[in-house]
Amino acid sequence: MQNVVADIVADVRQALQDVYSVPCAMEDVTVETPPDITIGDFAVPCFSFASLYKMAPAQIAHDLAAHLCEHSTVGVWEAVGPYVNVRLHPEVLFASALRPLRPASPTGRQIMVEYLSPNTNKPLHVGHVRNGVIGMAVAALSAFVGDDVVRAEVINDRGVHICKSMLAWQRWGGGATPATTGQKGDHFVGDYYVRFAQEAVKDPSLADAAQEMLKKWEDGDAEVRALWRMMNTWVEEGFRETFAQYGFVFDREYYESEVYQRGKDIVEEGVARGVLVREDSGAVVFPLDATVFGVQKDGSAKKATLLRADGTALYATQDLALAAQKSADYPGLDASVFVVGEEQEYHFQTMFALFRAMGFSWATQCYHLSYAMVNLPTGKMKSREGTVVDADDLLADVTETVAADLRKRHGDACDDAEIARRAHIMAHAAIVFFLVKTNPKTSITFDVRTSVAMEGVTGPYVQYAYTRAKSVLRKGQARGAVASQDSLARLGAVDAERVVAQQLIMLPVTIARAASVHDPSLVAHAAFQLAQTFHSYYNSTPILTDDPDVTAARLALAEAVAEALRTVLALLTIDVLEEM
RNA sequence: GUCCUUGUAGCUCAGUGGAUAGAGCGUUUGGUUGCGGUCCAAAAGGUCGUAGGUUCAACUCCUACCAAGGACACCA
């Protein structure tokens, strides 16, 4: 049996056809949940039918309810004002709720999700983590609805900012390495980046020295290149550790240093094809469509520069080269999502226009998933000034807090390794859930003391619902009670039970919507809501009862909730725990 | 100056034009380990930034304004 929402839509369309002899489009029938379960399990608003049938919504609802009560087999229908509400037969409601939540069959569409893309001059901070969790979740959502997803990372491993840490290390490093200091590589290098900023305030000539080093790097100076390779390796090793800790995975990694040279060739190709224009100064620009981008203050056309007058490459040059490389690597690519901060919205608009002009197959399906900043109560995070919440420190701190609590709670029942494992999974859940539960467009003020909570709308709260369900299932098994779908008709007398089912049924609808609008926060909210509903049900209704049929059915419901929570949390890169 | 985003309870945030605007935190009160309390139940708390408009119906759409953040070619 398919999801009952589809059955409701089908029955309503059939009823409209039968009663008014005029068909109605599938998308005109929406199924929603009534404000209160006592009104019904699901509701169909009749407003959209009014214009089609030239009748008042309430009249249509009345006619529909009368007809559906006779002809629909899913439940009992009732018109309330402009709504038709249905109270489903228990076996229909719960059979639908117990259908496992599974990924859709392949769509044949290939989509790239590019996210995180760090600079190799400093460690990752909580802003990067927000980018990472959004990227991972968006990729997982696309995969869940059947797309072939490529998770891509661009490592920004060249540029003057990289040279700054290199220069600082040369001057003040004294030959120290991550190995000799016992420091994580990215932190080690990041300290020199901060050091450079401090010294540059006192000695302005340092900025020139960094530029000079960049020139040497571009000329292929052996010594500079060797230093660059060594320090980048340190940073990357550090990043890899952080990625593993947070669960960030990439199917393809691009290095800026590898693509940036090819950028100039692509630019020449663009000039030859007339897409790009070489100006008198020698700079190459992309003229922007005035109807989309407007004009400059002086009335002249806007443009984006792809190559400086002196022939050197820009950020945009690399983006173009990267786009060409992606097209070469994935000839069947249909769409591309870029998870990048909101400050780059204009840049991506111009790039997307350029990609279309260059004729990349996926260019018409580009989406800049722009997310707002993570700020601190004291203001913006600034790496150069060291005012950041470091990704590694954050996870370590929260993990330690959770571990201390677990030790108190479980004492001797758990060994240290198990405590550490659980603490990591819970701390990770708390951080990730906090960052993903807010709409990406909303800027977050991150206060370590209050943001990473364990109660309320949090990852651990949702995890706990899973753990509770699994615990009851274990306890039931010990008593010889096993989940079974044989007596589903025995469920539904308790309203809380119906709400649980209702939420389970709506879950795939929410996931599909979240995937289509690239918004993982919708999934986080659905997960929380299901957990909350289950907690409430759990407290109000005994699952293990004296009646074996009722117990078996309730266990089946609990199992479905647990599995649904596990699946949905996995979309957010969050793990569950059998015990916590 | 132009464009984009945001503005909902003390705080942090939900809210596909439609039923009584919802959660969490905090506050007050009750449940005190029962199927594990990182839980549940209840109370208090709202001119949905302001003013117009469209609509049978506006937190939702449109216009203007106010406030915050961001962007506006040779930075990334």
Side-chain angles (χ1 to χ4, degrees), chain A residues 345-424:
Chain A
E345 257 163 32
Y346 180 81
H347 169 75
F348 275 97
Q349 272 179 39
T350 62
M351 283 299 113
F352 293 167
L354 176 57
F355 296 166
R356 284 193 294 273
M358 292 295 285
F360 297 129
S361 65
W362 43 273
T364 55
Q365 297 289 313
C366 280
Y367 182 71
H368 174 205
L369 175 37
S370 91
Y371 64 95
M373 297 205 178
V374 179
N375 296 317
L376 302 180
T378 50
K380 280 193 191 178
M381 288 193 286
K382 288 179 186 148
S383 296
R384 274 172 298 187
E385 296 171 18
T387 56
V388 296
V389 174
D390 180 82
D392 297 318
D393 295 348
L394 174 63
L395 189 52
D397 289 353
V398 179
T399 302
E400 188 37 55
T401 306
V402 175
D405 194 51
L406 286 175
R407 275 191 289 269
K408 211 182 303 169
R409 196 181 297 269
H410 296 292
D412 351 284
C414 265
D415 61 23
D416 288 349
E418 178 60 12
I419 294 270
R421 187 184 75 88
R422 292 183 192 180
H424 174 265

Side-chain angles (χ1 to χ4, degrees), chain A residues 539-561:
Chain A
N539 270 39
S540 70
T541 314
I543 292 170
L544 302 176
T545 68
D546 295 336
D547 185 325
D549 289 343
V550 169
T551 302
R554 287 182 177 166
L555 283 172
L557 189 62
E559 194 168 40
V561 169

Side-chain angles (χ1 to χ4, degrees), chain A residues 19 60-72 77-79 84:
Chain A
V19 175
I60 296 173
H62 179 265
D63 294 349
L64 276 181
H67 185 272
L68 284 163
C69 272
E70 265 184 65
H71 296 89
S72 168
W77 299 75
E78 186 194 8
V84 205

Side-chain angles (χ1 to χ4, degrees), chain A residues 215-487:
Chain A
K215 183 79 172 62
K216 279 189 180 173
W217 183 90
E218 291 194 358
D219 293 342
D221 180 284
E223 197 186 324
V224 171
R225 285 284 179 144
L227 174 62
W228 170 76
R229 262 191 297 277
M230 179 175 74
M231 291 184 73
N232 268 358
T233 304
W234 292 341
V235 173
E236 274 191 70
E237 279 168 3
F239 282 174
R240 260 180 248 293
E241 250 181 74
T242 308
F243 293 167
Q245 288 286 306
Y246 276 99
F248 301 152
V249 178
F250 300 99
D251 306 303
R252 182 71 158 91
E253 290 181 336
Y254 288 100
Y255 289 84
E256 197 181 299
S257 58
E258 287 173 4
V259 294
Y260 100 104
Q261 281 291 3
R262 252 167 313 188
K264 297 179 187 180
D265 298 337
I266 305 289
V267 166
E268 290 310 324
E269 189 193 317
V271 172
R273 287 170 48 188
V275 172
L276 303 177
V277 177
R278 187 180 304 280
E279 300 195 317
D280 295 341
S281 66
V284 177
V285 302
F286 174 55
L288 297 171
D289 183 353
T291 58
V292 179
F293 293 94
V295 292
Q296 299 202 72
K297 285 165 203 149
D298 61 11
S300 64
K302 282 196 171 184
K303 49 202 175 184
T305 302
L306 271 299
L307 216 53
R308 285 194 190 92
D310 66 3
T312 57
L314 287 145
Y315 182 51
T317 323
Q318 290 152 27
D319 271 3
L320 179 59
L322 196 59
Q325 187 64 47
K326 287 172 177 175
S327 273
D329 294 343
Y330 301 95
L333 194 63
D334 298 295
S336 205
V337 175
F338 298 79
V339 184
V340 183
E342 64 180 0
E343 69 278 6
Q344 294 197 32
E345 257 163 32
Y346 180 81
H347 169 75
F348 275 97
Q349 272 179 39
T350 62
M351 283 299 113
F352 293 167
L354 176 57
F355 296 166
R356 284 193 294 273
M358 292 295 285
F360 297 129
S361 65
W362 43 273
T364 55
Q365 297 289 313
C366 280
Y367 182 71
H368 174 205
L369 175 37
S370 91
Y371 64 95
M373 297 205 178
V374 179
N375 296 317
L376 302 180
T378 50
K380 280 193 191 178
M381 288 193 286
K382 288 179 186 148
S383 296
R384 274 172 298 187
E385 296 171 18
T387 56
V388 296
V389 174
D390 180 82
D392 297 318
D393 295 348
L394 174 63
L395 189 52
D397 289 353
V398 179
T399 302
E400 188 37 55
T401 306
V402 175
D405 194 51
L406 286 175
R407 275 191 289 269
K408 211 182 303 169
R409 196 181 297 269
H410 296 292
D412 351 284
C414 265
D415 61 23
D416 288 349
E418 178 60 12
I419 294 270
R421 187 184 75 88
R422 292 183 192 180
H424 174 265
I425 290 175
M426 290 170 66
H428 173 265
I431 294 166
V432 165
F433 199 91
F434 174 78
L435 292 172
V436 85
K437 74 178 177 182
T438 301
N439 182 308
K441 290 242 179 286
T442 306
S443 57
I444 293 176
T445 301
F446 192 86
D447 183 342
V448 185
R449 292 170 306 159
T450 58
S451 295
V452 187
M454 298 287 156
E455 296 160 13
V457 187
T458 66
Y461 174 94
V462 181
Q463 287 177 318
Y464 186 52
Y466 173 89
T467 301
R468 270 185 147 177
K470 295 300 264 191
S471 176
V472 185
L473 285 159
R474 277 196 307 274
K475 194 80 65 170
Q477 206 158 31
R479 298 185 195 173
V482 180
S484 154
Q485 302 204 20
D486 294 342
S487 305

